[in-house]
Amino acid sequence: MTTQTGAIVADDENSLKAGERGPALLEDSVLLEKIQHFDHERIPERIVHARGFGAHGYFELTDSLKGISRAGIFNEVGVQTPVFVRFSTVAGNKGSTDLARDVRGFAVKFYTKEGNWDLVGNNIPVFFIQDAIKFPDLIHSAKPEPDREFPQAQTAHDTFWDFASLMPESTHMLMWTMSDRAIPRSFRMMEGFGVHTYRFVNEKGAATFVKFHWRPKLGMQSVVWDEALKISGADPDFHRRDLWNSINEGSFPEWELGLQLFDEDFANKFEFDVLDATKLIPEEVLPLRIVGRLVLDRNVDNFFAETEQAAFCVRNVVPGIDFTNDPLLQGRIFSYQDTQLIRLGGPNFQQIPINAPQCPVMHLQRDGHMQMAVPTGRVNYSPSSLQADSPRQDPQRGLTSFAEPLDGNKLRIRAESFADHFSQARQFFYSQTEPEQNHIISAFIFELSKVETKAVRERMVGQLANVDPEIAERVAKGLGLQGKIQPVPTTVEARTDLDPSPSLSILAKAKETLEGRKVGCLLADGTDANLIKALKTGAEKRNANFAVIAPKVGGALMSNGKLVEGDFQLAGGSSVLFDAVFVALSEDGVAMLLKEAAAVAWVHDAFSHCKVIGATEAARPLLDAAGVISDEGVLLGANAEEFLSRAAEGRVWQREPKVRTIY
Ligand code: HDE
């Protein structure tokens, strides 16, 4: 062990004192350095997306875009480009829970041979606002209220809904954030989107519009709201632990990159504007072209050095990728670099290893805080003639913007083409399956029930009436709102002729698989050893994770006298942590666990969260005590195969109306 300046440390346990029991001495350089560094360990957290988790991996091109984009990363099929990806929630502090109802960030840094390209996206394809000038207001309203500094990591409070109800343009996004997309089961089971329309530019300078989509190989999956609330207590690190573990176990999360490519003529056919980030182009209208895959195969070595210091900047593009005039995107091009300046302490943060490009970097920018490079020579200006190897511009290979013809008056104005705020909100709702629609209604009811100001509640319901009267009525009913709903006056009414887009639903395209999921098995002394063996082998054959929950973490003695160790002790292994559960108890085991509230709650939660429950016949009294009503997802006396096959089909949504009121 040495000091920062390399002197060997002789004693790291005791400070230097004047006498055995005397005061510490100011000359103790070892103590001073250690405490001082510790005092400065933290940097400001991100103003939004503070809580996040990242991993390394690669992007591999599977379909060349030659002729569409001149970016090298999109030209050479089979080539792998290193990436760093950071997932995040938006509103909460760095130490908040993973399971907040929130948008998830999906930021990808591609270390291409032509420089870094940062595709800083979300898991939802649209956004709350149309113009960057409203972003500080949106975030202020969602963050803890400024006088009281609560609530943390949630939009369920007055200021958010006050703002939202006065911003009709946020309505489409609200449908998404109240949907199950905002409570994903895992980062590995989320879609990702670039949100804005970007441009590809080819060798000839011709442009094509592009929208970016990430498709998870494991399929999408979400949890239910009550489950999310409980996971926040049982394991606030649920998502980061899940990603960390799966990468460590060698099951590498994977996404396909899909593109929606189109030209000006195609864009002009829509009634909405493709520059409006509150709108999307349904895949049924413009299918995705799959061009590559993203694989995350390496956890970070150090969270702070890599994930915390990662600086994603929307303005980091490479030749062949260009911006559009989306007014939200335009503001973002400024914001990211700007916020990094204070967060990372100066203009040289691109030199931090996680941010440094993996290609040659040559420029004439010099000095500044924390300059790590040592530029040589006399020339730090251009044009210059004194140094032959001084960096020179390259009009052929360099960044060139699409030569978009522009002419117009300087105006502070919102284009007419941005005026329809409700049609796609309605289309989104009616593209969902019935259980998903029910969840959206419940989410609005939950959130608005936390709003203390009645007028705000009513105004939001009035805004929903613009989307569809039935949606507003259902929410009003759940809130117990008295009187007639007053729609908020609007200039453009929701279109009712848009075709539903099943690709917007999670359940309509859910995969029937247990891959990457977790099966939890409750056992105790006397459990049938063969059953446990069959469940474990069956789950693992399906690439699922199998976990044992026992009264004691040391384990339980099976019917054959052998010990099976617990992965969790009952109180620490709540059923909310698993996708499907098996209650593998003998008569003795049941007698013991009937006295444990945690065991009753374990089964009750699994049932009310619509999970598939397998159980031994002997376990019946515990199921009864937990209020389990028999249905197709309750497999009493089932063998391992029967249980696992049904579990792979997903949750038992038909059960939902039996466990809570659907408004
Ligand atoms: Fe961001 N956003 N954002 N955002 N955003 C930041 O940059 C901002 C928006 C997104 O893992 C900040 O480094 C403005 C849309 C992600 O490090 C900040 C506007 C989308 C991350 C910022 C938006 C995003 C951020 C805070 C409206 C989806 C986390 C810390 C004009 C396409 C990146 C930072 C990471 C982070 C500004 C809207 C995604 C303040 C001004 C739309 C995933 O610069």
Side-chain angles (χ1 to χ4, degrees):
M1 183 186 280
T2 70
T3 62
Q4 281 197 47
T5 44
I8 294 176
V9 173
D11 181 350
D12 182 47
E13 304 297 321
N14 303 293
S15 54
L16 192 66
K17 300 176 193 75
E20 210 172 307
R21 299 175 57 244
L25 295 176
L26 192 58
E27 69 178 62
D28 186 350
S29 58
V30 176
L31 171 74
L32 263 53
E33 181 193 275
K34 188 171 177 180
I35 296 283
Q36 188 159 55
H37 192 274
F38 172 76
D39 291 344
H40 294 264
E41 270 178 13
R42 292 288 171 270
I43 59 173
E45 65 174 35
R46 289 165 175 81
I47 170 76
V48 283
H49 295 264
R51 182 164 179 84
F53 202 69
H56 296 272
Y58 60 88
F59 171 75
E60 185 181 315
L61 191 71
T62 53
D63 182 9
S64 171
L65 290 166
K66 268 208 171 79
I68 297 176
S69 171
R70 57 187 272 238
I73 179 179
F74 287 123
N75 279 234
E76 305 163 60
V77 167
V79 167
Q80 294 185 353
T81 302
V83 299
F84 182 71
V85 178
R86 181 175 179 271
F87 303 107
S88 48
T89 53
V90 179
N93 288 164
K94 191 167 172 287
S96 55
T97 168
D98 280 353
L99 263 289
R101 191 201 303 280
D102 202 349
V103 186
R104 297 301 184 284
F106 194 130
V108 185
K109 188 182 282 295
F110 298 82
Y111 304 91
T112 87
K113 290 179 194 152
E114 297 160 314
N116 286 356
W117 170 40
D118 294 351
L119 180 60
V120 195
N122 278 343
N123 76 330
I124 289 180
V126 290
F127 202 63
F128 293 100
I129 49 170
Q130 297 174 321
D131 191 311
I133 202 165
K134 296 314 296 169
F135 191 66
D137 302 294
L138 165 73
I139 300 304
H140 284 173
S141 80
K143 285 267 182 184
E145 299 188 9
D147 52 354
R148 59 207 72 182
E149 185 61 5
F150 59 80
Q152 177 58 235
Q154 42 188 304
T155 50
H157 57 114
D158 286 50
T159 56
F160 177 76
W161 288 100
D162 183 28
F163 176 80
S165 63
L166 292 166
M167 289 289 288
E169 71 200 55
S170 68
T171 317
H172 185 198
M173 179 68 163
L174 291 172
M175 289 288 158
W176 284 82
T177 55
M178 293 302 107
S179 81
D180 296 344
R181 299 259 180 169
I183 38 173
R185 154 70 177 84
S186 159
F187 294 139
R188 302 174 294 135
M189 298 167 201
M190 310 189 306
E191 291 184 341
F193 304 89
V195 177
H196 311 281
T197 302
Y198 285 86
R199 269 196 182 100
F200 276 153
V201 185
N202 69 12
E203 287 77 4
K204 293 185 185 130
T208 307
F209 285 132
V210 56
K211 280 182 166 286
F212 297 99
H213 298 246
W214 295 110
R215 278 294 144 85
K217 197 177 150 215
L218 294 175
M220 265 194 295
Q221 189 179 315
S222 287
V223 299
V224 298
W225 179 232
D226 182 67
E227 192 183 6
L229 289 172
K230 289 174 175 160
I231 294 174
S232 289
D235 185 6
D237 304 308
F238 189 68
H239 282 155
R240 53 176 63 189
R241 192 188 304 281
D242 169 271
L243 189 69
W244 173 270
N245 284 347
S246 61
I247 293 176
N248 267 355
E249 286 159 11
S251 36
F252 303 137
E254 192 171 326
W255 288 260
E256 284 177 335
L257 177 64
L259 305 178
Q260 284 181 304
L261 296 164
F262 56 102
D263 58 19
E264 295 268 0
D265 286 345
F266 184 86
N268 292 337
K269 280 189 206 139
F270 294 112
E271 292 203 354
F272 63 86
D273 203 317
V274 297
L275 302 182
D276 173 358
T278 68
K279 305 296 186 300
L280 54 82
I281 305 178
E283 275 169 55
E284 289 77 2
V285 177
L286 180 57
L288 302 192
R289 174 164 163 191
I290 304 297
V291 298
R293 62 189 198 109
L294 168 73
V295 179
L296 297 182
D297 61 357
R298 183 161 62 88
N299 280 316
V300 296
D301 289 317
N302 182 275
F303 180 85
F304 180 87
E306 300 177 80
T307 314
E308 193 60 9
Q309 292 199 110
F312 295 89
C313 300
V314 174
R315 82 180 193 210
N316 292 351
V317 288
V318 291
I321 300 171
D322 201 1
F323 309 114
T324 60
N325 299 336
D326 172 342
L328 198 69
L329 175 59
Q330 297 275 317
R332 294 182 72 207
I333 296 167
F334 163 73
S335 177
Y336 290 69
Q337 193 88 6
D338 181 50
T339 201
Q340 311 305 348
L341 285 176
I342 185 130
R343 198 169 70 80
L344 297 169
N348 291 311
F349 64 84
Q350 300 293 5
Q351 295 177 17
I352 298 172
I354 194 69
N355 297 321
Q358 297 180 16
C359 68
V361 174
M362 295 162 249
H363 51 71
L364 299 165
Q365 295 162 32
R366 293 288 184 268
D367 310 345
H369 274 294
M370 308 309 288
Q371 173 60 262
M372 299 290 160
V374 184
T376 53
R378 297 166 76 184
V379 173
N380 57 1
Y381 55 90
S382 169
S384 69
S385 65
L386 298 185
Q387 210 172 298
D389 64 353
S390 188
R392 310 284 168 190
Q393 62 200 23
D394 182 340
Q396 266 71 49
R397 290 162 62 213
L399 278 167
T400 41
S401 301
F402 169 60
E404 184 181 7
L406 289 175
D407 188 18
N409 300 334
K410 247 188 225 178
L411 298 165
R412 273 191 199 276
I413 203 167
R414 196 68 62 94
E416 240 342 274
S417 52
F418 283 46
D420 176 356
H421 305 313
F422 302 115
S423 301
Q424 288 205 347
R426 187 179 185 284
Q427 181 185 34
F428 175 77
F429 186 82
Y430 288 109
S431 298
Q432 306 300 307
T433 60
E434 200 182 317
E436 289 171 300
Q437 292 183 3
N438 295 342
H439 296 168
I440 295 173
I441 300 291
S442 308
F444 273 112
I445 295 169
F446 177 91
E447 295 260 321
L448 292 175
S449 75
K450 298 268 181 182
V451 171
E452 291 160 7
T453 315
K454 240 172 121 191
V456 171
R457 265 187 240 161
E458 286 168 2
R459 188 167 59 225
M460 193 57 226
V461 174
Q463 210 63 270
L464 290 176
N466 287 326
V467 180
D468 188 81
E470 189 194 316
I471 298 174
E473 272 157 33
R474 291 178 65 180
V475 174
K477 203 167 153 204
L479 285 170
L481 219 65
Q482 308 298 319
K484 210 168 161 294
I485 297 167
Q486 296 293 336
V488 176
T490 176
T491 45
V492 181
E493 287 185 5
R495 289 175 59 169
T496 53
D497 60 339
L498 297 178
D499 290 333
S501 163
S503 63
L504 302 180
S505 152
I506 298 175
L507 294 181
K509 55 181 182 184
K511 289 193 175 173
E512 291 198 358
T513 179
L514 270 186
E515 187 177 353
R517 273 68 172 178
K518 252 184 147 170
V519 174
C521 179
L522 180 60
L523 51 70
D525 286 350
T527 290
D528 176 3
N530 290 331
L531 174 62
I532 300 306
K533 206 169 142 208
L535 283 167
K536 186 170 157 58
T537 338
E540 286 169 358
K541 205 177 75 199
R542 291 171 161 84
N543 294 324
N545 197 295
F546 180 77
V548 166
I549 298 91
K552 293 175 192 163
V553 75
L557 286 177
M558 299 296 94
S559 52
N560 59 3
K562 291 214 172 116
L563 183 82
V564 168
E565 283 188 15
D567 297 294
F568 296 91
Q569 188 244 341
L570 179 54
S574 160
S575 67
V576 295
L577 304 177
F578 310 103
D579 296 289
V581 300
F582 204 103
V583 189
L585 297 174
S586 64
E587 273 175 30
D588 289 349
V590 168
M592 190 172 105
L593 289 185
L594 270 173
K595 288 179 278 178
E596 296 286 353
V600 178
W602 200 88
V603 179
H604 175 76
D605 276 348
F607 182 71
S608 65
H609 300 149
C610 301
K611 288 175 184 169
V612 174
I613 303 177
T616 51
E617 284 287 355
R620 190 191 289 265
L622 183 62
L623 268 56
D624 289 342
V628 172
I629 312 161
S630 149
D631 65 26
E632 67 215 67
V634 179
L635 307 171
L636 206 62
N639 65 31
E641 272 310 299
E642 286 161 353
F643 162 72
L644 292 167
S645 316
R646 178 58 190 87
E649 289 171 31
R651 306 261 172 133
V652 193
W653 297 116
Q654 307 86 307
R655 184 188 297 158
E656 211 170 18
K658 291 189 213 150
V659 292
R660 60 181 192 85
T661 309
I662 308 290
Y663 289 101

